[in-house]
Amino acid sequence: MKIIAHIHTDFPAKFGIPRQSGLVEELKGRIVFEPEYRNPDAFRGLEGFSHIWLLWQFSGTKRHSWSATVKPPRLGGNKRMGVFATRSPFRPNDIGLSSVRLEKLEYDPKLGPVLYVAGADLMDGTGIYDIKPYLPYTDSHPDASAGFAGEVLDYALEVVFPEALLSLIPEGKRKAVIEVLKQDPRPSYQDIPDRRYGVEFAGYDVRFTVQDQVLTVCEVVDLHGERAR
């Protein structure tokens, strides 16, 4: 398969990215197509859809082998499930699937058609294999069973983000970073109260600790050189 586009997001690394698309609606992305796929005719009618599917490459988790079972993080990382019963990136084929909101389609004089999306769970620079329109009359199943994933549907941490540190984040990114932290970026097998973790987001390294389901931001590092505690 060919990469037709790349998405640009606020995540330079995979750590901290929400584990599903749409969990953090404030996360924005910009999809820029490769030159051979910039024909405006290929996008005719797309602006009429509110959501689209992205098929993309798990470039950050490439492996030469696969396992029949994986450990879903929301089950504590200790319980194994069949790989085809999960959305784990460790699969026979490195294909990801995300449903995102299409905010707008713009035509750039140099880049051609550019898609602006919200709710993306992709790392910056991720290759896109294909896009397809989301069709609510066939893609949405309100009565569907969520299996074991339904057990952790409402999981979220309480986030304590001191105002002095939050003010260092650009205003338009503040709600997004708080929502990202609520999702608990830590590996599921790590629950060490004194350990500091860091999420790189929008040019900042946001460092925090977690104890008793409360995440406390203790430091923000501007990756361009400034530092605050």
Side-chain angles (χ1 to χ4, degrees):
M1 293 192 296
K2 296 181 179 179
I3 296 294
I4 66 169
H6 290 84
I7 189 170
H8 300 283
T9 70
D10 286 318
F11 289 102
K14 65 180 181 177
F15 184 77
I17 298 177
R19 294 178 173 90
Q20 305 292 343
S21 59
L23 287 178
V24 181
E25 185 70 14
E26 293 80 11
L27 291 179
K28 304 302 177 71
R30 183 172 63 100
I31 300 174
V32 177
F33 289 80
E34 293 297 294
E36 61 182 300
Y37 302 106
R38 293 176 183 176
N39 186 336
D41 288 341
F43 302 83
R44 189 183 303 166
L46 185 62
E47 67 278 0
F49 294 91
S50 65
H51 292 73
I52 57 176
W53 290 106
L54 304 179
L55 283 83
W56 48 278
Q57 181 186 49
F58 277 117
S59 58
T61 54
K62 277 186 171 294
R63 287 186 173 182
H64 297 295
S65 61
W66 68 284
S67 172
T69 61
V70 295
K71 298 178 179 180
R74 283 293 181 254
L75 295 183
N78 298 313
K79 187 175 182 180
R80 285 193 170 274
M81 292 292 180
V83 65
F84 299 131
T86 75
R87 297 191 180 187
S88 168
F90 305 111
R91 321 186 66 79
N93 292 305
D94 57 351
I95 300 173
L97 176 68
S98 296
S99 174
V100 298
R101 179 164 56 87
L102 178 60
E103 293 195 314
K104 61 181 176 179
L105 165 59
E106 284 191 350
Y107 291 89
D108 184 276
K110 292 184 178 180
L111 301 176
V114 177
L115 305 184
Y116 292 82
V117 299
D121 57 338
L122 288 79
M123 188 169 67
D124 184 50
T126 295
I128 306 294
Y129 286 127
D130 201 5
I131 64 169
K132 299 178 185 292
Y134 176 95
L135 304 178
Y137 65 85
T138 186
D139 293 344
S140 176
H141 304 278
D143 58 344
S145 171
F148 65 84
E151 302 172 15
V152 291
L153 187 62
D154 298 323
Y155 180 89
L157 295 178
E158 177 185 347
V159 175
V160 177
F161 205 138
E163 185 60 35
L165 296 178
L166 185 60
S167 64
L168 299 173
I169 306 292
E171 187 173 357
K173 306 287 186 180
R174 293 174 189 172
K175 186 174 181 181
V177 71
I178 290 174
E179 292 300 319
V180 165
L181 295 173
K182 282 183 180 180
Q183 299 299 317
D184 194 353
R186 298 174 302 164
S188 54
Y189 55 83
Q190 291 186 6
D191 188 16
I192 307 171
D194 296 330
R195 177 163 182 172
R196 281 195 179 192
Y197 302 86
V199 169
E200 292 186 23
F201 179 79
Y204 295 84
D205 186 0
V206 180
R207 300 176 182 178
F208 61 90
T209 60
V210 180
Q211 185 171 11
D212 299 328
Q213 297 300 104
V214 177
L215 183 153
T216 303
V217 176
C218 50
E219 186 178 11
V220 172
V221 177
D222 185 333
L223 296 179
H224 298 292
E226 297 179 9
R227 185 184 184 97
R229 287 187 176 87

